[in-house]
Amino acid sequence: MTGALSRRALSRRALSRRALSRRALLRGLAAAVGALYAVAPAGRASASPALSAGPALPVDPVTVATLEAFADTIVPGVKRYPGDHALAGAAPGPGAVQAGAITLLRAPELGLTPLLPGLAGLLDVEATGYATTHGRPPLSLQPPLSLQPPLSLQPPFVGLRYADRAALAADLLRPGTPDQKLWLLLALVSALAFDTAAHLHTPDAVRHGHPGLAHLRFPQPDADGLWRYPRFSYQRTLADPHPSTTPSGSPA
Amino acid sequence: MNAATETTDVVVIGSGFGGAIPAYRLAAGGAKVVVLERGPWLRTEDFTHDLRLGTYTRIVDLIQGDGITVVAGNCVGGSSVVYFAASLRAPGFVFDRRGSLGHRLWPASLRRATLDPWYERVEQTLPVAQQSWHDVPYPGGLFAAACRNAGRTCNPVPVAVDLRRCTNCNWMLSGCRFDAKRSMLLNYLPAALAHGAEIRPLHEVQLIGPAVTPGYRYRVTYTTVDGDDYRVPTGGGAIEAKIVVLAAGAMATPVLLQRSAAALGGVPAAVGRYFSSNGDRVSVAAMNEDRIRDVLGLEREPGVPYEALHIGKPIGSMSYDRLDPHAAEFTRFSLQQIYFPTITNLLTRSGDAGSSWFGVEKKELSARWRSWLTVLAMTEDDNEGTFGVPPPTGAFTRLASSIGLSPLRYAPTANTLRGWAAADTEARAVLERDGLSRVRPWSDVGGALCAHPLSSCRMGDDPATSALDDSNELRGHPGLFVTDGSAVPTSLCVNPSLTIAALAERAGPAIVRRAAEFGVPVRYSDAW
Ligand SMILES: Cc1cc2nc3c(=O)[nH]c(=O)nc-3n(C[C@H](O)[C@H](O)[C@H](O)COP(=O)(O)OP(=O)(O)OC[C@H]3O[C@@H](n4cnc5c(N)ncnc54)[C@H](O)[C@@H]3O)c2cc1C
């Protein structure tokens, strides 16, 4: 009870400090993730091998680290280098981040980039609330997030251990909770990067060993970029049909 | 703009099963037909094997309501372009369903026997192929073997696929690159075009009202939309017609009518009510390869029992065992093997906890993706979906070109939940027997998931609970017909396209009769 209250109070204070309208953020995010499914102009889509991450607006390292930590909570992976704090290293092999989650989030086609700092800020506020109500290190002692912290000072969500990140994410993603759609959209982008390589043409992604598709053991296409399976059936009668099947093969 | 209003005999709204079939019958009979379609017109070469954003997303919409997410097509040919081609007649008991209203929900004139001739016509026209076990891909074979192991029967599924052309690539959601899937693009639409019908893509209808030109009844107002960003209007116009066939799909038809209610002088109360999700319920079984070999004796390559989720036509086999006409309503369903692209992998759960769709164990489960087997139960739901206030334009608020927020609300009743529980139990009984797998329903994190929206503007005999009479005509609006999935009164316990198509064929003679009455020079032709 008190925990939830203090967390909400914390959120409110932090939100007003950043003059962030949660509703505007939600709307923007919804639209942005909508754009995730959007039509890329056909010409451009086939001309560029990847959603161009190059000219994307700069995003501050705190935001990047926070969003990486969230994506890594959805599909966890190994740390990329010694002292990688954003990735918890909870699972072997590459995770959503290595699969391109941040590239996808920052893709100009999504129009999401301007909203990312606000989203990360909101997540860090939730993380601070979680930490204080679960007896974790006093993250509130850290400097304001708008300052670029030295590497040793991590954003609050990054400061959580994997189990806590996952517990908080589960909390935020529970159906019926206030901002659930917002976190679900972020989770969806993370998963799409891993499970579909949504920023790449699939034949290229598979051929170049995209880590998510490789993890699934997604099959290789033919030389022309199309999939075909000449052998596809056990070619055996494996069950008896229902006795009242009608001549067209339908149920009676 | 200052020219005289454009007129035609018939305007058809939407080009899926419900639109393409009447368009053909009317054009073949001599009427001047214009088809207005919201989505783009893609050719075979445009269909790619690609999950990159901006590819399949041009033709598939993901529509989020409250408590439900619906997938539907957005292109010339409608959902038939992206569907999985399972072509089944609904079991006889469906036509006698009473739901929770306590009276028969289908019109008295409609039974399985009365629909059979129309089913047959559609099966011949698409055409539908009967798969033998030699045509059923590995996942369907595996499901069949598990059914037999559990003492169940299992059938190969009839599919609207040219089996000789099919490469079993499993990319049906992206449209068929091999012209094997018999979508409306390969049969009814080209036939309608050959008889002079005109198809106008990227035309989104906004309103239906009374015509101003003498001799015409309805005025259909549309906007044209940008092919690269459907949110951007590029123009607009209106056409007047003597007959309107509304077939914008179960997610759009009721919304258009609600918006048009004032202009039309009111619409029946059942418009936008009684939506059915067809009781769709998806589960994923994580199969144990060793048990597949030891218990079922299957091997697809030396040393590889299965590992073939990715191979095939998406739908191979299904069990009719629980379609027992004598069982209680809300306990009957079919159970079907199906494949979904990895876009949906997020929803697969690794455990029973609510959050088990993400995290460490989920990632471990993903490593065994090739050993998953997905099953779809189609149950008897309670027609509990309701559309709220229509958005300013279109059928939903298009946040981007392929995602929308719909005013549809779906909160499953105890009856629907009972059906889902029965289906879950059966899936476990078949697939968990002898340690073959662990089965879990998809996460409900995005609400119910539905690819078979139905009933939102349904036929019936009772004016209080049905919007259409038994000839698909909107009550109180002569010459305005609804022939898409929204007209189907209840969930069907099987995939719905063949029933939608058969009902649209059946509506043909009545639409032609009405057209002739209103001065259109048209005769019904059953020719193909
Ligand atoms: C992925 C997927 C797989 C499926 N697999 C199967 C299967 O295997 N077997 C089966 O039986 N069924 C299947 N279905 C369901 C089946 O495809 C649909 O039930 C059927 O196609 C619906 O036909 P319809 O004519 O009612 O609507 P649709 O085919 O959806 O046609 C409606 C058309 O109207 C257009 N439209 C909407 N609003 C407007 C407007 N305002 N103005 C102009 N045009 C508009 C839409 O763009 C669309 O083209 C599947 C569906 C999906 C999405």
Side-chain angles (χ1 to χ4, degrees), chain A residues 5-6 10 37 64 71 95 99 111-112 134 140 142 147 160 172 182:
Chain A
L5 275 177
S6 64
L10 253 170
Y37 286 93
V64 170
L112 191 51
H134 288 75
S140 51
Q142 291 195 348
L147 298 183
L160 296 176
L172 299 175
L182 192 156

Side-chain angles (χ1 to χ4, degrees), chain A residues 120-145:
Chain A
L122 193 53
L123 185 57
D124 280 324
V125 167
E126 296 283 4
T128 306
Y130 179 93
T132 47
T133 54
H134 288 75
R136 302 296 186 254
L139 294 159
S140 51
L141 295 182
Q142 291 195 348
L145 293 170

Side-chain angles (χ1 to χ4, degrees), chain B residues 284 286 345-366 368 372 438 440-441 443:
Chain B
V284 178
N345 277 22
L346 180 74
L347 297 171
T348 299
R349 295 188 300 148
S350 63
D352 296 323
S355 62
S356 59
W357 52 273
F358 70 86
V360 177
E361 288 81 24
K362 169 61 182 288
K363 189 182 175 194
E364 285 166 11
L365 185 62
S366 295
R368 294 166 52 212
W372 295 4
R438 269 315 297 276
R440 291 191 178 90
S443 165

Side-chain angles (χ1 to χ4, degrees), chain B residues 473-514:
Chain B
E473 204 169 40
L474 187 70
R475 293 181 194 285
H477 299 281
L480 176 42
F481 292 86
V482 174
T483 52
D484 56 19
S486 65
V488 175
T490 63
S491 76
L492 297 169
C493 292
V494 294
N495 319 67
S497 65
L498 201 72
T499 301
I500 295 169
L503 288 170
E505 278 282 20
R506 175 182 171 276
I511 302 174
V512 165
R513 236 181 350 261
R514 191 61 107 186

Side-chain angles (χ1 to χ4, degrees), chain B residues 323-352:
Chain B
L323 296 175
D324 175 2
H326 306 297
E329 193 165 351
F330 300 113
T331 67
R332 299 170 292 195
F333 56 87
S334 63
L335 199 57
Q336 181 175 75
Q337 170 273 320
I338 194 165
Y339 168 82
F340 290 101
T342 57
I343 314 157
T344 62
N345 277 22
L346 180 74
L347 297 171
T348 299
R349 295 188 300 148
S350 63
D352 296 323

Side-chain angles (χ1 to χ4, degrees), chain B residues 399-416:
Chain B
L399 295 173
S401 290
S402 78
I403 198 161
L405 289 180
S406 165
L408 172 63
R409 186 181 137 73
Y410 189 84
T413 66
N415 284 332
T416 298

Side-chain angles (χ1 to χ4, degrees), chain A residues 126-175:
Chain A
E126 296 283 4
T128 306
Y130 179 93
T132 47
T133 54
H134 288 75
R136 302 296 186 254
L139 294 159
S140 51
L141 295 182
Q142 291 195 348
L145 293 170
S146 53
L147 298 183
Q148 299 239 336
L151 269 182
S152 58
L153 284 180
Q154 297 126 30
F157 190 78
V158 173
L160 296 176
R161 293 174 305 143
Y162 183 80
D164 287 326
R165 294 180 186 183
L168 173 56
D171 223 25
L172 299 175
L173 285 158
R174 189 164 296 128

Side-chain angles (χ1 to χ4, degrees), chain B residues 141 152 175 182 198 223 258 337 369 434 466 468 490 502 505 509:
Chain B
R152 268 67 168 180
R182 304 294 302 169
E198 212 191 305
T223 49
Q258 285 174 324
Q337 170 273 320
W369 172 70
D434 296 322
S466 63
L468 312 177
T490 63
E505 278 282 20

